PDB file of all heavy atoms in Angstrom:
ATOM      1  N   GLU A  69     -22.915   3.606   9.073  1.00 98.00           N
ATOM      2  CA  GLU A  69     -22.162   4.030  10.237  1.00 98.00           C
ATOM      3  C   GLU A  69     -22.296   3.038  11.383  1.00 98.00           C
ATOM      4  O   GLU A  69     -21.310   2.726  12.078  1.00 98.00           O
ATOM      5  CB  GLU A  69     -22.619   5.410  10.707  1.00 98.00           C
ATOM      6  CG  GLU A  69     -22.231   6.558   9.767  1.00 98.00           C
ATOM      7  CD  GLU A  69     -22.688   7.910  10.285  1.00 98.00           C
ATOM      8  OE1 GLU A  69     -23.713   7.984  11.003  1.00 98.00           O
ATOM      9  OE2 GLU A  69     -22.044   8.908   9.961  1.00 98.00           O
ATOM     10  N   GLU A  70     -23.492   2.526  11.575  1.00 98.00           N
ATOM     11  CA  GLU A  70     -23.724   1.563  12.652  1.00 98.00           C
ATOM     12  C   GLU A  70     -22.903   0.288  12.434  1.00 98.00           C
ATOM     13  O   GLU A  70     -22.305  -0.251  13.367  1.00 98.00           O
ATOM     14  CB  GLU A  70     -25.205   1.246  12.781  1.00 98.00           C
ATOM     15  CG  GLU A  70     -26.029   2.402  13.334  1.00 98.00           C
ATOM     16  CD  GLU A  70     -27.511   2.182  13.166  1.00 98.00           C
ATOM     17  OE1 GLU A  70     -27.915   1.177  12.536  1.00 98.00           O
ATOM     18  OE2 GLU A  70     -28.293   3.035  13.669  1.00 98.00           O
ATOM     19  N   LEU A  71     -22.896  -0.204  11.190  1.00 98.00           N
ATOM     20  CA  LEU A  71     -22.105  -1.405  10.908  1.00 98.00           C
ATOM     21  C   LEU A  71     -20.624  -1.145  11.147  1.00 98.00           C
ATOM     22  O   LEU A  71     -19.921  -1.992  11.739  1.00 98.00           O
ATOM     23  CB  LEU A  71     -22.343  -1.874   9.486  1.00 98.00           C
ATOM     24  CG  LEU A  71     -21.592  -3.164   9.109  1.00 98.00           C
ATOM     25  CD1 LEU A  71     -22.451  -4.067   8.253  1.00 98.00           C
ATOM     26  CD2 LEU A  71     -20.241  -2.887   8.427  1.00 98.00           C
ATOM     27  N   LEU A  72     -20.128  -0.007  10.688  1.00 98.00           N
ATOM     28  CA  LEU A  72     -18.717   0.311  10.909  1.00 98.00           C
ATOM     29  C   LEU A  72     -18.401   0.383  12.399  1.00 98.00           C
ATOM     30  O   LEU A  72     -17.322  -0.048  12.826  1.00 98.00           O
ATOM     31  CB  LEU A  72     -18.361   1.624  10.228  1.00 98.00           C
ATOM     32  CG  LEU A  72     -18.374   1.601   8.699  1.00 98.00           C
ATOM     33  CD1 LEU A  72     -18.148   3.000   8.141  1.00 98.00           C
ATOM     34  CD2 LEU A  72     -17.304   0.651   8.163  1.00 98.00           C
ATOM     35  N   GLY A  73     -19.320   0.911  13.185  1.00 98.00           N
ATOM     36  CA  GLY A  73     -19.126   0.926  14.629  1.00 98.00           C
ATOM     37  C   GLY A  73     -19.026  -0.471  15.227  1.00 98.00           C
ATOM     38  O   GLY A  73     -18.162  -0.745  16.069  1.00 98.00           O
ATOM     39  N   ARG A  74     -19.902  -1.375  14.769  1.00 98.00           N
ATOM     40  CA  ARG A  74     -19.845  -2.748  15.251  1.00 98.00           C
ATOM     41  C   ARG A  74     -18.544  -3.419  14.833  1.00 98.00           C
ATOM     42  O   ARG A  74     -17.913  -4.153  15.614  1.00 98.00           O
ATOM     43  CB  ARG A  74     -21.056  -3.536  14.739  1.00 98.00           C
ATOM     44  CG  ARG A  74     -22.394  -3.079  15.294  1.00 98.00           C
ATOM     45  CD  ARG A  74     -23.490  -4.071  15.007  1.00 98.00           C
ATOM     46  NE  ARG A  74     -23.767  -4.231  13.588  1.00 98.00           N
ATOM     47  CZ  ARG A  74     -24.608  -3.472  12.881  1.00 98.00           C
ATOM     48  NH1 ARG A  74     -25.229  -2.452  13.479  1.00 98.00           N
ATOM     49  NH2 ARG A  74     -24.832  -3.704  11.598  1.00 98.00           N
ATOM     50  N   TRP A  75     -18.138  -3.188  13.588  1.00 98.00           N
ATOM     51  CA  TRP A  75     -16.905  -3.792  13.109  1.00 98.00           C
ATOM     52  C   TRP A  75     -15.699  -3.250  13.900  1.00 98.00           C
ATOM     53  O   TRP A  75     -14.805  -4.013  14.290  1.00 98.00           O
ATOM     54  CB  TRP A  75     -16.724  -3.482  11.626  1.00 98.00           C
ATOM     55  CG  TRP A  75     -15.403  -3.918  11.074  1.00 98.00           C
ATOM     56  CD1 TRP A  75     -15.010  -5.188  10.740  1.00 98.00           C
ATOM     57  CD2 TRP A  75     -14.262  -3.072  10.799  1.00 98.00           C
ATOM     58  NE1 TRP A  75     -13.721  -5.200  10.270  1.00 98.00           N
ATOM     59  CE2 TRP A  75     -13.240  -3.903  10.290  1.00 98.00           C
ATOM     60  CE3 TRP A  75     -14.032  -1.708  10.912  1.00 98.00           C
ATOM     61  CZ2 TRP A  75     -11.983  -3.416   9.923  1.00 98.00           C
ATOM     62  CZ3 TRP A  75     -12.792  -1.218  10.535  1.00 98.00           C
ATOM     63  CH2 TRP A  75     -11.792  -2.059  10.062  1.00 98.00           C
ATOM     64  N   ARG A  76     -15.677  -1.956  14.158  1.00 98.00           N
ATOM     65  CA  ARG A  76     -14.578  -1.364  14.943  1.00 98.00           C
ATOM     66  C   ARG A  76     -14.464  -2.047  16.289  1.00 98.00           C
ATOM     67  O   ARG A  76     -13.368  -2.434  16.714  1.00 98.00           O
ATOM     68  CB  ARG A  76     -14.844   0.136  15.181  1.00 98.00           C
ATOM     69  CG  ARG A  76     -14.574   1.054  14.024  1.00 98.00           C
ATOM     70  CD  ARG A  76     -14.675   2.532  14.446  1.00 98.00           C
ATOM     71  NE  ARG A  76     -13.565   2.888  15.331  1.00 98.00           N
ATOM     72  CZ  ARG A  76     -13.640   2.951  16.637  1.00 98.00           C
ATOM     73  NH1 ARG A  76     -14.788   2.725  17.272  1.00 98.00           N
ATOM     74  NH2 ARG A  76     -12.584   3.274  17.344  1.00 98.00           N
TER      75      ARG A  76
END
Side-chain angles (χ1 to χ4, degrees):
E69 289 182 332
E70 289 168 355
L71 182 141
L72 291 174
R74 293 193 297 273
W75 174 77
R76 284 188 69 260

